[in-house]
């Protein structure tokens, strides 16, 4: 049975810098994970509001179409009584057709918004999510506070700080590697 024993005197702090740099890497990875979670949450909230907006616009388009249909009926009745011209009827039909096209556009937009939200929620994008066209009531935001403190809470900035710290420690380790080392080896 053989036994090898190696020991290096960390006279200049090269090994300590290497350990500290290695400890900064998981901190940066954890901050990246927190940043990804925050970004996903923000995208999901934005997609939810986009869906609510698209549904509300679709509802307005349907109401507009119904109003244009009533206006067309009134214009046709006026034409039959001799109170309107054929041009008025054609104009009313055109505005009704435009309103009908707006329903199709808004229906497509709400379907796309629904699928986007379903993807962010990890569901199959089938545009079958049941959502309301009403926007939720939002609570008042707490005071923002000091902008410098806000920056220190951002996970992407924490990750960048950890990476810069690790890079500085690795540069220090490389600089110290040029100095002589003292090793004891035994068998």
């Amino acid at each position: 049975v053989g036994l090898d024993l190696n020991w290096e005197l960390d006279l200049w702090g090269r090994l300590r810098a290497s350990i500290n740099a290695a400890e900064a890497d998981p901190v940066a990875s954890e901050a990246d994970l927190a940043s990804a979670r925050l970004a996903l949450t923000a995208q999901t909230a934005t997609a939810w509001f986009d869906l609510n907006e698209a549904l509300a616009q679709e509802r307005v388009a349907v109401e507009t179409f119904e109003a244009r249909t009533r206006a067309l009926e009134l214009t046709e009745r006026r034409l039959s009584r001799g109170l309107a011209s054929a041009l008025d009827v054609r104009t009313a039909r055109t505005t009704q057709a435009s309103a009908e096209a707006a329903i199709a556009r808004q229906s497509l937009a709400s379907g796309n918004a629904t699928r986007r939200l379903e993807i962010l929620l990890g569901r199959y994008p089938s545009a079958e999510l049941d959502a309301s066209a009403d926007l939720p009531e939002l609570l008042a935001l707490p005071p923002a506070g000091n902008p410098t403190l806000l920056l220190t809470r951002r996970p992407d900035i924490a990750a960048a700080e950890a990476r810069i710290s690790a890079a500085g420690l690795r540069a220090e380790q490389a600089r110290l590697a040029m100095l002589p080392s003292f090793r004891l080896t035994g068998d």
Side-chain angles (χ1 to χ4, degrees):
V1 175
L3 177 68
D4 289 334
L5 178 65
N6 293 318
W7 183 77
E8 182 176 340
L9 179 63
D10 192 20
L11 186 62
W12 314 112
R14 181 181 61 85
L15 296 176
R16 184 175 52 246
S18 173
I19 291 169
N20 290 340
E23 288 173 348
D25 290 334
V27 172
S29 295
E30 287 173 5
D32 283 338
L33 178 62
S35 179
R37 284 183 177 154
L38 186 63
L40 179 63
T41 302
Q43 287 178 4
T44 304
T46 301
W48 178 258
F49 281 106
D50 289 346
L51 175 59
N52 287 334
E53 176 191 6
L55 290 173
Q57 287 183 358
E58 185 178 359
R59 183 180 63 210
V60 168
V62 168
E63 292 171 359
T64 302
F65 174 74
E66 291 169 355
R68 300 291 187 217
T69 301
R70 285 191 303 273
L72 174 62
E73 291 169 357
L74 289 173
T75 306
E76 286 174 341
R77 273 191 270 166
R78 291 185 73 212
L79 176 67
S80 67
R81 293 184 183 148
L83 300 172
S85 67
L87 178 62
D88 294 334
V89 173
R90 278 188 241 128
T91 303
R93 285 183 182 151
T94 302
T95 58
Q96 182 198 30
S98 295
E100 189 175 17
I103 291 173
R105 278 192 311 275
Q106 293 305 324
S107 179
L108 180 65
S110 63
N112 289 340
T114 302
R115 282 187 283 283
R116 178 172 177 246
L117 181 60
E118 287 172 336
I119 288 170
L120 288 169
L121 293 175
R123 297 181 183 175
Y124 181 77
S126 59
E128 296 177 355
L129 187 67
D130 187 27
S132 170
D134 299 324
L135 292 174
E137 290 292 324
L138 296 178
L139 302 174
L141 292 174
N146 186 350
T148 305
L149 295 176
L150 289 175
L151 288 176
T152 61
R153 292 193 327 223
R154 286 184 48 182
D156 57 336
I157 292 179
E161 283 180 345
R163 282 193 187 84
I164 288 172
S165 173
L169 291 167
R170 285 194 178 89
E172 180 69 13
Q173 174 191 3
R175 187 185 65 75
L176 294 173
M178 293 188 287
L179 299 174
S181 62
F182 301 100
R183 293 188 183 138
L184 296 175
T185 305
D187 286 329

